[in-house]
Amino acid sequence: MPEASAHTAAFWDARYAADGYTYGTEPNAWLARHADLLPPTGRALVPASGEGRDAVWLASRGLSVTAVDLSREGLAKTHRLAEARGVTVQTVHADLLEWTWPEATEAAVVLSFAHLGPESRREVHRRSLAALRPGGLVVLEAFHVSQLPLREQSGGPPREELLFTADLLREDFAEAEIVSLAEAETTLREGPGHDGPARVVHGVFRRR
């Protein structure tokens, strides 16, 4: 990805090679809060899946899940977590802009803290929406532009252009139905990487 993310594959491999799970093993709280909107069966896609917490949770709910990430270490941890939970997750080691995305097949696409530069962000969001079957959902949470002063406490990328606002998401998902969209202050408890007060933007978008 040319200006895609805050860090390289080597950075994430080094981070995920450490013992434990950097962002915990439980699903993103925003995703879990909207569990009742998710279908009991079907396909789900988790781009920038990290160590697999969301992918494994979706699989435990009965969905057929594909997790895509730049980090081989993160994908290895995904398999270990899936095995421990008694589920299966298909993993793909790929750059999201070079990967051939599915089209019109997914019941859900989950993007948890997938921080991309403006051009890449728009493209990944476009492909995420296109990957959905009609009625499918994108469930997304990311750090707000006002997160920078808090990043030493609760994480997030180091540059404003890698952060989000509700207006940016409203533009990116202009062709979708907005089920929910808000900027919020919260307290993250997602492993040592996300632990403390944070400012986020989160949304749920339905393909028409």
Side-chain angles (χ1 to χ4, degrees):
M1 292 183 174
E3 40 75 277
S5 62
H7 299 292
T8 64
F11 171 91
W12 291 114
D13 277 342
R15 173 163 287 194
Y16 295 151
D19 291 339
Y21 281 72
T22 305
Y23 303 108
T25 58
E26 297 307 310
N28 171 263
W30 175 253
L31 171 62
R33 193 186 310 173
H34 293 86
D36 59 332
L37 296 181
L38 299 171
T41 60
R43 293 167 53 96
L45 176 64
V46 187
S49 57
E51 297 162 301
R53 61 195 179 107
D54 290 340
V56 170
W57 180 79
L58 289 164
S60 73
R61 293 182 55 82
L63 292 163
S64 176
V65 183
T66 300
V68 186
D69 203 85
L70 276 174
S71 170
R72 293 187 187 277
E73 294 287 347
L75 296 174
K77 280 189 171 177
T78 298
H79 283 295
R80 292 199 290 273
L81 183 59
E83 184 177 1
R85 299 280 172 88
V87 299
T88 300
V89 172
Q90 178 184 355
T91 59
V92 178
H93 178 248
D95 179 312
L96 292 177
L97 289 185
E98 296 176 0
W99 182 54
T100 302
W101 288 61
E103 294 187 11
T105 59
E106 309 300 302
V109 175
V110 174
L111 293 163
S112 294
F113 300 101
H115 285 278
L116 311 169
E119 188 178 321
S120 298
R121 185 203 73 236
R122 286 189 291 269
E123 181 63 12
V124 166
H125 290 171
R126 183 190 69 77
R127 295 188 190 187
S128 295
L129 192 60
L132 294 173
R133 67 193 190 194
L137 300 173
V138 172
V139 183
L140 181 156
E141 183 166 61
F143 287 113
H144 187 261
V145 292
S146 60
Q147 172 68 10
L148 281 174
L150 299 175
R151 65 179 300 268
E152 294 301 323
Q153 299 179 66
S154 54
R159 303 193 303 278
E160 185 173 322
E161 65 266 25
L162 296 168
L163 297 163
F164 294 8
T165 66
D167 284 343
L168 287 179
L169 293 179
R170 192 175 286 108
E171 291 175 9
D172 288 358
F173 293 99
E175 296 183 6
E177 174 192 348
I178 298 176
V179 178
S180 178
L181 178 61
E183 298 173 352
E185 294 185 1
T186 189
T187 300
L188 298 177
R189 292 288 183 256
E190 299 183 326
H194 286 169
D195 189 17
R199 294 168 184 162
V200 301
V201 55
H202 41 217
V204 179
F205 308 92
R206 179 179 285 118
R207 180 169 180 174
R208 298 183 190 278

